Each structure stands twice: as C-alpha cells, then as structure tokens.
Amino acid sequence: MKAVILAGGLGTRLAEETSLRPKPMVEIGGQPIMWHIMQIYSAHGINDFVVCLGYKGYYIKEYFANYAMHNSSVAVDIRKRSLQFLGDNDLPPWKVQLIDTGAETLTGGRLKRVRDYLDPDEPFCMTYGDGVADIDIGGLLAFHKGHGLDATLTAVRPSGRFGATMIENGRVTSFEEKPAGDGAQVNGGFFVLHPRVIDRIASDDTIWEREPLEGLARDGQLAAFDHAGFWQPMDTLRDKQYLEGLWAKGKAPWKVWG
C-alpha cells in the first residue's frame, strides 16, 4: 500500500521557519516532521510513499537524495571521486516518489496530479506533511476495509480551528471546513481512500477539504475512524516548540517505532 503525503503548501503561519524551507522539512528533534510521519507509517508496514511537492520542493528532493549519505558512515576517495558506505547502516526501507505538483496547486489538485503514481484498484493512505499522531494505522486500515466505503478520515478532538466532522453510527453525515470552535470532532487527516475519489477533484484549484470531502459525506461514502489518542499539527511556532519539548523530554506519544 502507498501513502501520499501533501508537502507543497506555503506554511505561512509558520513563516519563522518556512521562509527558508517547506514546512514538512521543519525539524523536530533534529529530523523533519515529515520523517516522523513516515516513521509512523513505516512502523505499521507502509514504506512506499508518494510526496506531493510544491513550495521549495527542491529542498525535499535534496534531503532524500542525500539521506543515505547523511545517515551513514562513508569513505570518500577524493582523487578517484568515489564514495563507499561503511558498516551496517540502519536505514529505513522506504521507496519515495517525489512529484512536482505545482507551486500554486491546492490540496485536492495535488492529489489529482499524482493519480498516475497510484494503483487504480488499490486503496491508499493520504495525510498532511505537518501533523503527527499515535494513530493505529493497522486499525485504521481494518476499519476502512470493513465498511466498504470510498473514503475514511481520522476524527480527532482538538480546538475548533479545523474542519468539523459530524458523525452518526460511524458514518460522516456532514463536513464543514474550519467552523467556530464547538467541541465537535474534526478532520485529523490520516485518510484511507479508493482512487476513484480523485474523480471528484476538478482541477488544481480544488481544495480537498471542500467539494470532494463534502460530496463524499453527502453521498454517504465517507466514514470516520475515531482516534482518541494524541494528535498535533504543526501550524505555528508555538506548535513546533510544543512538539520539540515533548521529543526532548522523551515523551513524544507519536514515536510508535523502535
């Protein structure tokens, strides 16, 4: 199974960091937050990633192109212009496709642009490149397979800054992007989707959280996986500092890998 990561936004609310690099490359504990997200999936056996690039996408390309060298012991012969990796390097078993999806493309449009990199008959995971959780990916996949609908989102319970999800008997009955805070469960990302949901995306200008998700809910094709554990996006500098503090104290709930 593949996991799509949306990693092309401007991250304007975290301008202190994103003026220099894309938000998924902002570091927590010395590693980009996208690395943490990928580790979450990898801990549950998902190691095949499609990353939707946009703003400063070259930064992400360079990170993965040099990942093995930066995380390994190496011997360099300057005269022979050769590079040799030394010892047993504990590198993740990841396959990463880095796809340019446009600097101005919106979230739905980015997903539409990577359709050709997905199996047309196999569900895939999708999430944002700036949020972590101690989510049970295996449980999420089993839940999605069990209900047989086109889409599953993960519902969480933070403040009302995010899209509100109304749920009845495990089915999403309505979806509203970023209403006033009212204690409702909200969209925490970590989707499982059938590729046919991409048919609901009109163009680069389509916001995934608007017409596609609202339509799925209206048509009874969107289910909600209830995640009552830890979930935290990194929207602001305060969020980054909070996550950094948890990591530094060895109390990062999202660290589900060994």
Side-chain angles (χ1 to χ4, degrees):
M1 177 174 283
K2 292 187 177 183
V4 174
I5 300 177
L6 301 180
L10 295 176
T12 53
R13 286 183 289 179
L14 192 58
E16 300 91 342
E17 296 278 352
T18 57
S19 61
L20 301 174
R21 52 190 165 178
K23 187 161 65 165
M25 288 290 101
V26 175
E27 294 180 355
I28 302 297
Q31 291 285 1
I33 192 168
M34 188 161 71
W35 176 90
H36 293 260
I37 295 166
M38 294 168 73
Q39 288 282 15
I40 294 168
Y41 279 110
S42 191
H44 294 275
I46 297 176
N47 295 296
D48 199 345
F49 299 94
V50 178
V51 181
C52 302
L53 304 180
Y55 173 69
K56 295 186 181 293
Y58 63 87
Y59 197 110
I60 300 176
K61 289 180 182 178
E62 290 174 357
Y63 172 78
F64 284 106
N66 295 300
Y67 186 94
M69 184 175 65
H70 290 170
N71 291 276
S72 305
S73 297
V74 298
V76 181
D77 188 315
I78 301 298
R79 179 169 291 182
K80 293 183 179 179
R81 287 174 281 186
S82 66
L83 177 69
Q84 179 185 2
F85 290 89
L86 304 175
D88 294 326
N89 300 301
D90 187 20
L91 299 174
W94 297 341
K95 295 181 180 179
V96 187
Q97 294 174 289
L98 304 166
I99 312 302
D100 290 309
T101 58
E104 304 297 328
T105 307
L106 300 181
T107 49
R110 294 194 190 283
L111 178 56
K112 188 178 183 70
R113 286 212 188 189
V114 300
R115 182 173 200 160
D116 290 344
Y117 300 92
L118 303 171
D119 186 320
D121 300 313
E122 181 181 355
F124 63 95
C125 296
M126 186 183 83
T127 197
Y128 307 107
D130 63 354
V132 289
D134 59 350
I135 182 171
D136 177 6
I137 297 293
L140 168 63
L141 295 175
F143 175 78
H144 178 81
K145 183 178 180 180
H147 62 60
L149 304 182
D150 283 354
T152 300
L153 62 75
T154 297
V156 296
R157 297 174 180 81
S159 61
R161 292 184 296 156
F162 306 92
T165 306
M166 302 306 295
I167 302 167
E168 294 179 8
N169 299 320
R171 297 293 194 275
V172 177
T173 57
S174 68
F175 182 92
E176 182 181 2
E177 176 68 355
K178 297 181 182 178
D182 56 6
Q185 289 174 276
V186 304
N187 168 27
F190 291 96
F191 299 92
V192 184
L193 306 171
H194 191 283
R196 61 176 160 260
V197 304
I198 300 175
D199 293 337
R200 296 174 179 267
I201 301 170
S203 68
D204 283 356
D205 296 327
T206 301
I207 299 172
W208 166 247
E209 299 78 12
R210 297 284 173 82
E211 293 91 346
L213 271 190
E214 291 169 358
L216 284 163
R218 186 170 53 250
D219 296 342
Q221 287 296 320
L222 180 60
F225 179 73
D226 188 4
H227 175 63
F230 179 87
W231 174 81
Q232 179 63 49
M234 188 182 64
D235 283 331
T236 65
L237 184 59
R238 182 178 180 180
D239 294 334
K240 176 191 178 330
Q241 292 168 342
Y242 173 62
L243 292 171
E244 190 77 59
L246 290 174
W247 186 267
K249 295 174 184 175
K251 297 181 178 180
W254 70 91
K255 189 180 183 300
V256 294
W257 59 95

Short mmCIF file of all heavy atoms in Angstrom, two decimals, residues 22-47:
data_model
loop_
_atom_site.label_atom_id
_atom_site.label_comp_id
_atom_site.label_asym_id
_atom_site.label_seq_id
_atom_site.Cartn_x
_atom_site.Cartn_y
_atom_site.Cartn_z
N PRO A 22 10.38 24.30 3.14
CA PRO A 22 8.96 23.92 3.22
C PRO A 22 8.63 23.38 4.60
O PRO A 22 9.48 22.79 5.28
CB PRO A 22 8.84 22.84 2.14
CG PRO A 22 10.22 22.33 1.95
CD PRO A 22 11.14 23.47 2.22
N LYS A 23 7.39 23.56 5.02
CA LYS A 23 7.01 23.18 6.38
C LYS A 23 7.28 21.71 6.71
O LYS A 23 7.71 21.41 7.82
CB LYS A 23 5.54 23.53 6.64
CG LYS A 23 5.14 23.30 8.09
CD LYS A 23 3.89 24.05 8.50
CE LYS A 23 2.67 23.59 7.80
NZ LYS A 23 1.42 24.08 8.46
N PRO A 24 7.08 20.76 5.79
CA PRO A 24 7.38 19.37 6.14
C PRO A 24 8.86 19.12 6.48
O PRO A 24 9.18 18.08 7.05
CB PRO A 24 6.97 18.59 4.88
CG PRO A 24 5.91 19.44 4.26
CD PRO A 24 6.37 20.84 4.49
N MET A 25 9.72 20.07 6.13
CA MET A 25 11.14 19.93 6.43
C MET A 25 11.55 20.64 7.72
O MET A 25 12.72 20.59 8.12
CB MET A 25 11.98 20.47 5.29
CG MET A 25 11.98 19.60 4.04
SD MET A 25 12.89 18.02 4.25
CE MET A 25 11.52 16.89 4.52
N VAL A 26 10.61 21.28 8.39
CA VAL A 26 10.90 21.89 9.69
C VAL A 26 11.16 20.76 10.69
O VAL A 26 10.40 19.79 10.75
CB VAL A 26 9.74 22.78 10.16
CG1 VAL A 26 10.00 23.31 11.57
CG2 VAL A 26 9.56 23.94 9.18
N GLU A 27 12.23 20.89 11.45
CA GLU A 27 12.71 19.77 12.25
C GLU A 27 12.12 19.71 13.66
O GLU A 27 11.92 20.73 14.31
CB GLU A 27 14.24 19.82 12.36
CG GLU A 27 14.93 19.61 11.01
CD GLU A 27 16.44 19.67 11.13
OE1 GLU A 27 16.96 19.99 12.24
OE2 GLU A 27 17.13 19.42 10.12
N ILE A 28 11.87 18.48 14.09
CA ILE A 28 11.54 18.15 15.47
C ILE A 28 12.58 17.13 15.92
O ILE A 28 12.69 16.06 15.33
CB ILE A 28 10.13 17.55 15.60
CG1 ILE A 28 9.07 18.52 15.05
CG2 ILE A 28 9.84 17.17 17.04
CD1 ILE A 28 8.97 19.83 15.79
N GLY A 29 13.35 17.46 16.92
CA GLY A 29 14.38 16.54 17.39
C GLY A 29 15.44 16.24 16.35
O GLY A 29 15.99 15.13 16.31
N GLY A 30 15.75 17.21 15.50
CA GLY A 30 16.81 17.04 14.51
C GLY A 30 16.40 16.34 13.24
O GLY A 30 17.23 16.13 12.35
N GLN A 31 15.11 15.98 13.10
CA GLN A 31 14.62 15.35 11.88
C GLN A 31 13.36 16.09 11.41
O GLN A 31 12.54 16.53 12.23
CB GLN A 31 14.27 13.88 12.13
CG GLN A 31 15.47 12.97 12.39
CD GLN A 31 16.27 12.68 11.13
OE1 GLN A 31 15.95 13.15 10.04
NE2 GLN A 31 17.32 11.89 11.28
N PRO A 32 13.19 16.23 10.09
CA PRO A 32 11.99 16.89 9.57
C PRO A 32 10.71 16.23 10.08
O PRO A 32 10.68 15.01 10.27
CB PRO A 32 12.13 16.73 8.06
CG PRO A 32 13.58 16.50 7.82
CD PRO A 32 14.08 15.75 9.01
N ILE A 33 9.68 17.01 10.26
CA ILE A 33 8.43 16.43 10.74
C ILE A 33 7.91 15.39 9.75
O ILE A 33 7.27 14.41 10.16
CB ILE A 33 7.37 17.52 11.03
CG1 ILE A 33 6.19 16.90 11.80
CG2 ILE A 33 6.94 18.23 9.76
CD1 ILE A 33 5.23 17.92 12.38
N MET A 34 8.22 15.54 8.46
CA MET A 34 7.78 14.53 7.51
C MET A 34 8.47 13.18 7.78
O MET A 34 7.87 12.12 7.57
CB MET A 34 8.05 14.96 6.07
CG MET A 34 7.44 14.03 5.05
SD MET A 34 7.27 14.74 3.41
CE MET A 34 8.98 14.83 2.92
N TRP A 35 9.71 13.20 8.25
CA TRP A 35 10.39 11.97 8.65
C TRP A 35 9.62 11.28 9.77
O TRP A 35 9.45 10.05 9.75
CB TRP A 35 11.80 12.32 9.10
CG TRP A 35 12.62 11.19 9.63
CD1 TRP A 35 13.45 10.36 8.93
CD2 TRP A 35 12.73 10.77 11.01
NE1 TRP A 35 14.07 9.46 9.77
CE2 TRP A 35 13.64 9.69 11.06
CE3 TRP A 35 12.17 11.22 12.20
CZ2 TRP A 35 13.99 9.04 12.25
CZ3 TRP A 35 12.50 10.57 13.39
CH2 TRP A 35 13.39 9.50 13.40
N HIS A 36 9.13 12.04 10.74
CA HIS A 36 8.34 11.47 11.83
C HIS A 36 7.06 10.82 11.29
O HIS A 36 6.68 9.73 11.72
CB HIS A 36 7.99 12.56 12.84
CG HIS A 36 9.16 13.12 13.58
ND1 HIS A 36 9.48 12.73 14.86
CD2 HIS A 36 10.08 14.04 13.23
CE1 HIS A 36 10.56 13.39 15.27
NE2 HIS A 36 10.93 14.20 14.29
N ILE A 37 6.41 11.51 10.35
CA ILE A 37 5.18 10.97 9.76
C ILE A 37 5.46 9.66 9.04
O ILE A 37 4.72 8.68 9.17
CB ILE A 37 4.55 12.01 8.81
CG1 ILE A 37 4.11 13.25 9.59
CG2 ILE A 37 3.38 11.41 8.03
CD1 ILE A 37 3.79 14.45 8.72
N MET A 38 6.53 9.64 8.28
CA MET A 38 6.89 8.43 7.54
C MET A 38 7.25 7.29 8.48
O MET A 38 6.94 6.13 8.22
CB MET A 38 8.03 8.74 6.56
CG MET A 38 7.60 9.70 5.46
SD MET A 38 8.96 10.36 4.48
CE MET A 38 9.43 8.94 3.51
N GLN A 39 7.88 7.62 9.59
CA GLN A 39 8.19 6.59 10.58
C GLN A 39 6.91 5.99 11.18
O GLN A 39 6.86 4.79 11.48
CB GLN A 39 9.06 7.18 11.70
CG GLN A 39 10.49 7.49 11.29
CD GLN A 39 11.38 6.25 11.22
OE1 GLN A 39 10.91 5.13 11.21
NE2 GLN A 39 12.67 6.47 11.18
N ILE A 40 5.90 6.81 11.38
CA ILE A 40 4.61 6.31 11.89
C ILE A 40 4.04 5.26 10.93
O ILE A 40 3.64 4.17 11.34
CB ILE A 40 3.62 7.47 12.10
CG1 ILE A 40 4.10 8.41 13.21
CG2 ILE A 40 2.22 6.93 12.41
CD1 ILE A 40 3.34 9.72 13.28
N TYR A 41 4.01 5.61 9.63
CA TYR A 41 3.51 4.65 8.64
C TYR A 41 4.40 3.41 8.57
O TYR A 41 3.92 2.28 8.50
CB TYR A 41 3.42 5.32 7.26
CG TYR A 41 2.19 6.15 7.07
CD1 TYR A 41 2.25 7.53 6.98
CD2 TYR A 41 0.93 5.55 6.95
CE1 TYR A 41 1.12 8.30 6.79
CE2 TYR A 41 -0.21 6.30 6.76
CZ TYR A 41 -0.11 7.68 6.68
OH TYR A 41 -1.24 8.43 6.50
N SER A 42 5.70 3.63 8.59
CA SER A 42 6.65 2.52 8.46
C SER A 42 6.51 1.53 9.60
O SER A 42 6.67 0.31 9.42
CB SER A 42 8.08 3.07 8.39
OG SER A 42 8.99 2.07 8.02
N ALA A 43 6.20 2.03 10.79
CA ALA A 43 6.02 1.15 11.95
C ALA A 43 4.86 0.19 11.75
O ALA A 43 4.78 -0.86 12.39
CB ALA A 43 5.78 1.99 13.21
N HIS A 44 3.95 0.54 10.82
CA HIS A 44 2.80 -0.32 10.52
C HIS A 44 2.94 -0.99 9.16
O HIS A 44 1.95 -1.46 8.58
CB HIS A 44 1.52 0.51 10.58
CG HIS A 44 1.20 1.02 11.95
ND1 HIS A 44 0.52 0.28 12.89
CD2 HIS A 44 1.50 2.20 12.56
CE1 HIS A 44 0.40 0.97 14.00
NE2 HIS A 44 0.98 2.14 13.83
N GLY A 45 4.17 -1.02 8.63
CA GLY A 45 4.44 -1.78 7.41
C GLY A 45 4.22 -1.05 6.11
O GLY A 45 4.29 -1.66 5.04
N ILE A 46 3.96 0.25 6.15
CA ILE A 46 3.78 1.03 4.92
C ILE A 46 5.06 1.81 4.67
O ILE A 46 5.43 2.71 5.44
CB ILE A 46 2.57 1.98 5.02
CG1 ILE A 46 1.30 1.14 5.18
CG2 ILE A 46 2.48 2.88 3.80
CD1 ILE A 46 0.05 1.96 5.38
N ASN A 47 5.76 1.46 3.58
CA ASN A 47 7.07 2.02 3.29
C ASN A 47 7.19 2.61 1.88
O ASN A 47 8.28 2.95 1.45
CB ASN A 47 8.14 0.95 3.47
CG ASN A 47 8.26 0.48 4.91
OD1 ASN A 47 8.61 1.25 5.79
ND2 ASN A 47 7.94 -0.79 5.14
#
